[in-house]
Each structure stands twice: as structure tokens, then as C-alpha cells.
Amino acid sequence: MVEGETIDTASLDGYVPFDSERQQAYIDAGYWRNITFHDVVDRHAEEIPDYTALVGPHRELTYAELAANSRRIAAYFVGELGLRPNERVVLQLPNCTEFLEAFVACSRVGVIPVMVLPRHRSAEANHVVDLTDARAYVVDYGRYSSGFDFVGLADDVRSSHESLEHLIAVTDGETSSVDGCDAFAEMRDERWVDKYGDEVSKTDVDPSKPGVMLLSGGTTGLPKAIPRTHNEYVFQWERMADAADVRDDWVAFPGVPIGHNASLNCIVGAALWAGATVAVEPELKPDALMAFIERVGGNYTLPMPTQILDILEHPDLDQYDLSSLEVLVSGGQKVPPRVVEEAVDRWNVGFCNIFGMAEGPLICTRPGDDVKVQANTVGRPIAPEADEIRIVETDRETEVPPGEAGELAVRGPGYFTGYFRNEKENTENFSDDGWFFTEDVLARRDDGNLEVYGRIKDTIIRGGENIYAPGIEDELVEHSKIANAALIGMPDDRLGERPAAFVELTDDATELPLKDVSSFLEERGIAVFKRPEYLEILESLPRTEVGKIEKQALKDRIVDAESK
Ligand code: AMP
């Protein structure tokens, strides 16, 4: 920044705040504690200073050290980089201790970290910096040997964005600096607190303002930015810790990138709330995860369903001691019931089958629920008395009769209030009185547990009959030759759509005719109109950065094939 130039510090144009009445109601009810992310850490730094907060591949930090380091980094942010409250900083790091030091540092000075995932590349990075006018970008420089040039990526983005002034590199032990970047390791020096500590302590961070921006999963198009306030997010950390019975002597470890809400909220946030230890490992492949669980004695984690399946089917599974596992959380896409049953059977764990969205909704089974409930439902909202939930017809007003499927609409102290700088989406998907329409189809069973049917867009309508793809996918993976399956609607002139299946075969299978799949489903009592009329075997199904199946790519594939 040019000396003397001022920045508009307070503005957060394009953010939709909670209306003041709701804010007050949440505070009065005790749902919002009016504390920030760093307050959560500081409370433990005072009460249990020497307890291990973070374990990473290279270092361990106590709560006192996490608090102290983040204070130094915060001082550097304001003093050396001139970052001001409400400004945005991109964090694109693997799961590592530095991620959380930077996250807490941002909180101290009211800077909003934007969660770009390690697998995002130039299209997403440019879009996100464009959208958020980020002023700094934090990347790994070989410390976690990802093999990808993140500094090069961030530098490219900088060359076309005036707002982006600073690149910050997390380097390995030998490389102390990288050309054109500030060195993260330097920021942990005590001298920054001596020099700028007063500025940090004078920063007024409002817990009802955004403390983080998550990105929407986006199986199509570019991600949307989802601002989450300290108040609403800390509320969910607390409620998630309660729902999963997270204990303060546990080691929690994220099985998906921390930048994803599933990790940051359900695992890292819940563990920080409880004063437990968070262990982080950048490598998230099955062998690495198993070795890691054994090494750190991991008790609490959230992998995607496919990761659990990969571990359960891993040839070396018996060589690892995973007996420390206490609670497994999984979701983000439909968890096949057999994955829950096998995991519970094998590890004797409590299973939180979770329906989650970065926008807020967290609905899950509890560790003590019956395994049938854990396998077939996503349980109840994490804060049943506070979370407002409705299941509505296509008019988005009338509630469906009990037991029937409809669109999930939500409002409450743990849910976001609108996408950042995206009036179109906000107008389309919010009601005037603050309900958010999720575009997900769920049903509430008589016992109060919710079942997920899929995205509205995942519903295949064949000649007027609804087919919920995830239910059929669950049936398909029960076939002995099918490892993974995705069902989509292929366009049809007469019927509108017809179901088409894409499958990955198990290791020992070589072929699978459509007629075998059809008779298999017939034996399982699946109505004829729901059975796939097209089958394609793929080496691997296309997936998003967190491993969800990318159905749009399959739809494009089928349209392309038909137009040839
Ligand atoms: P993201 O915010 O990227 O985690 O994506 C959220 C979306 O993932 C939701 O809107 C759902 O469509 C899907 N999803 C999350 N959890 C589940 C689940 N347990 N079963 C089926 N779909 C899910």
C-alpha cells in the first residue's frame, strides 16, 4: 500500500447481516455467547495452557503456544501488512498446524479468512479473489511436498488483481524465504507483539460479523462465498461437540481438508470448543490416514463415505491398530448403510451420520443411537430446540405431511444469512422472513429422524414418476460387482428423463451387463421404472475436491455421447 493511502476498513458490502431482532433473541436465549474464535482458544490457553492443542507432522503446540503464536502473527498482519478488520485473506493450505495458527490470527484482528481448498486451481482461485477482493494469500511452499506450485498459482492471481498485495509462504525448515513472499515462520516472532501488540489488542472484533468465508461445494460452476459469523459458527462448534459427545481428552483429526466446513466446523471447531487436541495430517489417502490414527491415537474424525469404504476394503487394514477410534462422523453425500454397519461392527464406534452444508444445516445421528437409525437416517438437528426446520412442497410454503419428502428449509442461530455479493442466489433461495431453501430433499420419519433423498436436481423425473437417485445408488452398491455407483437422469424426448447408471467395478470384476443389474434390482423389489436403462462402467467416477461424485460431469458425458 502507498504510504498515506487509506483503506475503507469497516465496509463489508455484499454481506447480508442477521436482522437485529434475531440477533438479540439468540443472545437472550444464550445460543450466541458473543465470543470470537480466538476467545475460544484464549479461554483454554488460560485454563489448560500446557495441554496439547495441535499435533502436526513437524510440530506440536499447546493451547498457550497456539494463543501466543497467533497473537504474533496477528501483530504482523496489522503492523507489517496493514490488514484491517473485515478484509479478506485467502488460506490455501493442506491440513497443517500453520493453517490453524493463521486462522486464529485472522480472528484476532477481524480479518476474514477465505477457505480455498488445496485442490482448487487457477479458475477457482481467480474467481475467489475477484469476488472477495482478498488482500493476502497464504500458501504452502514445499513444507508439505504436495508437488504443486502454489506460490506460482498465487503469484499469477496477484498479477491480475490489484487488491491482492501480499503472498505468504509456509516454507520448510531450510528455505526461510521465497522471492516476493512474506515468510510465515518469520511472523511467529515475539518482536511483532512488542512492536504492534497494542494495535492487536485494540482491535474491536464483533462476534456477530463474519469470522470466516467458506466456499460452496459447487458440483457445477464456480464456488459461492459463504460468510459465517463468529457467533453462529461457535454456536455450532458447541452443539456439534455436544451431539458427538466430544471429550476434552480426545484427539480429533480432520479426514477432509480443513477448509471444508465438515472439518472446520464438525471436527476442528468441536474439538477446540471442548479443549481437546486437534491432530492434522496433510496426506488424506487411506494408508496415511490409518498410520496417522495409529500414531496419534485418534478418537474422533470425519472422513467422506468413500474414504471409510477404502479403509474397510484396504488389503493392509489388519496391520494398523485403529482401536482408539470412538466416534466416526461421515456424510457430505449419502452414506451407504453398509458402510455404517461395517464400520460400527468393526471398530465398535458411535456413528454420526451427518447431513451438512457449509451454509449451516448440521443434522446428525448420535453416537448412542441404534445402528439401524445411524445407517438409514441422518438423525436430528444438532440444536433441536434452536434450529428451525421445515420440509416444504414445491411452493416453498406448504409443509409436507409427516413422513413425506420435500425441500428442507432452515432458519436459526447456526445458519448463514446469505451468499457474499450474490443477490441473485439470495433472492432465489431466501424468503423475506429469513428462511433458507436448501434445494435438498428430506423426509422426517415418525421417530423424528430425518432421511435424505438427494438434491432436488438429483431427483430424476421419468414420465411424471419421481426417482430419488441416492436410494437406488444404495441398492446398486449392494451388487457384488459394484464398488461405487451414480444414477443420473438422461434426457428423453418422450419421458423427460430416464435413469442412467455409471459404476466403478470392484477389483475382481471385469464386466457387468445392464440386464444383470436390472434383474438384481428386480430381486430387491425395486420398481421397474426406477431401474437404470443405461449402464456405463468407468475406471473412476468424476469427483469434486472433497471426493463427492460430480454428477454434472456425468450428465454432460451422456449428452455429449448422444449428440455424436
Ligand atoms: P457442502 O456444503 O459442500 O458440504 O455440500 C452440501 C451438500 O452436500 C448438501 O446440500 C447435500 O446436497 C449434500 N449432502 C451433505 N450431507 C449429505 C448426506 N448425509 N446425504 C446426502 N447428501 C448430503
Side-chain angles (χ1 to χ4, degrees):
M1 195 174 81
V2 183
E3 218 176 312
E5 189 185 328
T6 53
I7 309 165
D8 180 8
T9 55
S11 104
L12 195 50
D13 63 300
Y15 168 65
V16 184
F18 280 83
D19 72 49
S20 46
E21 251 170 62
R22 272 172 69 204
Q23 291 198 28
Q24 198 53 52
Y26 296 150
I27 292 167
D28 292 346
Y31 299 146
W32 283 5
R33 293 178 180 271
N34 253 342
I35 57 174
T36 58
F37 302 149
H38 61 281
D39 289 334
V40 173
V41 171
D42 289 349
R43 190 186 68 193
H44 298 314
E46 215 152 87
E47 289 170 6
I48 44 166
D50 300 326
Y51 195 74
T52 308
L54 295 181
V55 176
H58 306 299
R59 34 200 293 266
E60 288 193 17
L61 282 87
T62 63
Y63 271 101
E65 286 166 333
L66 175 59
N69 288 359
S70 58
R71 210 166 273 129
R72 296 167 187 170
I73 298 163
Y76 191 98
F77 279 176
V78 277
E80 293 291 303
L81 304 185
L83 299 179
R84 294 290 175 265
N86 287 338
E87 291 186 339
R88 277 76 60 193
V89 168
V90 169
L91 292 192
Q92 187 179 27
L93 290 172
N95 291 0
C96 59
T97 49
E98 291 83 358
F99 193 122
L100 290 161
E101 289 175 305
F103 180 78
V104 181
C106 287
S107 172
R108 288 192 190 285
V109 284
V111 164
I112 307 171
V114 185
M115 301 286 130
V116 170
L117 297 174
R119 280 179 63 180
H120 282 145
R121 292 293 177 264
S122 118
E124 291 90 2
N126 277 295
H127 164 71
V128 168
V129 172
D130 234 19
L131 177 66
T132 63
D133 295 317
R135 288 201 56 211
Y137 198 128
V138 189
V139 286
D140 173 41
Y141 183 76
R143 182 162 168 83
Y144 298 103
S145 53
S146 67
F148 178 76
D149 178 12
F150 285 103
V151 170
L153 169 68
D155 210 16
D156 262 5
V157 178
R158 173 162 64 176
S159 66
S160 54
H161 290 87
E162 249 178 64
S163 70
L164 187 58
E165 287 174 72
H166 310 287
L167 302 194
I168 298 166
V170 173
T171 52
D172 63 23
E174 279 135 46
T175 328
S176 58
S177 65
V178 188
D179 263 0
C181 296
D182 288 73
F184 190 82
E186 272 286 294
M187 301 182 186
R188 283 196 215 104
D189 199 296
E190 179 63 28
R191 74 178 186 281
W192 307 122
V193 173
D194 300 338
K195 208 165 165 189
Y196 307 113
D198 281 353
E199 279 187 61
V200 176
S201 49
K202 272 192 236 128
T203 311
D204 186 16
V205 184
D206 179 352
S208 55
K209 287 262 174 67
V212 61
M213 277 193 201
L214 302 161
L215 299 182
S216 67
T219 44
T220 57
L222 290 164
K224 300 185 279 279
I226 302 169
R228 306 294 306 270
T229 65
H230 295 264
N231 265 331
E232 79 192 72
Y233 220 45
V234 170
F235 168 76
Q236 289 204 310
W237 292 1
E238 177 177 0
R239 294 315 175 102
M240 190 64 214
D242 284 351
D245 297 335
V246 177
R247 295 204 333 229
D248 58 3
D249 60 349
W250 275 7
V251 175
F253 63 101
V256 293
I258 305 180
H260 195 278
N261 181 56
S263 280
L264 189 62
N265 195 348
C266 304
I267 301 299
V268 175
L272 288 181
W273 175 264
T277 299
V278 177
V280 282
E281 159 65 45
E283 176 63 69
L284 301 171
K285 298 235 164 66
D287 314 56
L289 274 181
M290 288 190 284
F292 182 60
I293 298 170
E294 185 176 274
R295 177 167 76 82
V296 300
N299 308 109
Y300 176 62
T301 186
L302 189 159
M304 296 297 283
T306 43
Q307 288 170 294
I308 303 183
L309 206 59
D310 287 347
I311 290 179
L312 283 168
E313 288 174 355
H314 201 282
D316 300 334
L317 174 57
D318 288 335
Q319 289 170 28
Y320 295 94
D321 177 7
L322 310 184
S323 59
S324 57
L325 285 174
E326 298 267 2
V327 169
L328 260 185
V329 190
S330 190
Q333 65 189 69
K334 179 134 196 205
V335 189
R338 82 173 159 104
V339 169
V340 179
E341 280 154 12
E342 281 179 41
V344 169
D345 188 46
R346 173 144 201 137
W347 297 307
N348 190 26
V349 283
F351 204 104
C352 297
N353 189 338
I354 196 161
F355 171 89
M357 289 181 92
E359 289 84 346
L362 289 180
I363 301 171
C364 69
T365 58
R366 309 301 200 258
D369 284 348
D370 188 276
V371 70
K372 285 207 171 59
V373 169
Q374 295 170 339
N376 297 299
T377 83
V378 289
R380 287 88 59 206
I382 56 166
E385 80 292 6
D387 293 338
E388 296 180 81
I389 281 200
R390 297 169 66 204
I391 297 182
V392 293
E393 313 252 10
T394 44
D395 65 5
R396 288 187 156 176
E397 276 177 13
T398 323
E399 289 201 46
V400 300
E404 282 193 20
E407 184 179 7
L408 174 74
V410 296
R411 183 173 70 174
Y415 304 144
F416 91 136
T417 41
Y419 296 103
F420 187 56
R421 297 180 176 167
N422 197 331
E423 227 179 293
K424 181 174 172 287
E425 285 283 340
N426 293 340
T427 312
E428 276 171 18
N429 286 326
F430 277 88
S431 70
D432 291 342
D433 52 353
W435 287 86
F436 169 59
F437 297 96
T438 61
E439 297 186 340
D440 280 297
V441 180
L442 280 84
R444 199 195 301 267
R445 308 195 320 182
D446 289 346
D447 62 4
N449 291 301
L450 290 144
E451 269 180 280
V452 187
Y453 285 74
R455 302 285 295 161
I456 288 181
K457 290 180 192 122
D458 268 1
T459 308
I460 302 161
I461 306 177
R462 184 190 186 281
E465 303 266 23
N466 281 0
I467 306 167
Y468 290 112
I472 305 298
E473 289 157 3
D474 282 353
E475 298 290 341
L476 287 169
V477 294
E478 294 294 322
H479 191 288
S480 60
K481 289 187 176 175
I482 299 180
N484 265 308
L487 194 78
I488 60 154
M490 58 180 173
D492 184 85
D493 288 344
R494 204 166 54 84
L495 295 165
E497 285 180 310
R498 289 185 300 142
F502 289 83
V503 298
E504 285 170 7
L505 295 185
T506 49
D507 287 346
D508 42 356
T510 50
E511 45 82 59
L512 179 64
L514 177 62
K515 66 175 179 15
D516 288 11
V517 172
S518 234
S519 45
F520 172 77
L521 292 176
E522 185 177 4
E523 276 162 33
R524 296 179 70 86
I526 304 299
V528 67
F529 73 90
K530 296 184 181 171
R531 295 182 215 150
E533 295 171 45
Y534 171 92
L535 176 73
E536 193 171 329
I537 296 165
L538 296 181
E539 188 69 26
S540 59
L541 293 167
R543 291 180 188 281
T544 66
E545 58 285 343
V546 288
K548 295 191 197 190
I549 295 169
E550 218 173 339
K551 289 202 167 168
Q552 189 56 45
L554 296 173
K555 286 183 186 162
D556 295 345
R557 192 181 167 98
I558 229 165
V559 171
D560 285 353
E562 290 201 333
S563 61
K564 273 181 192 149

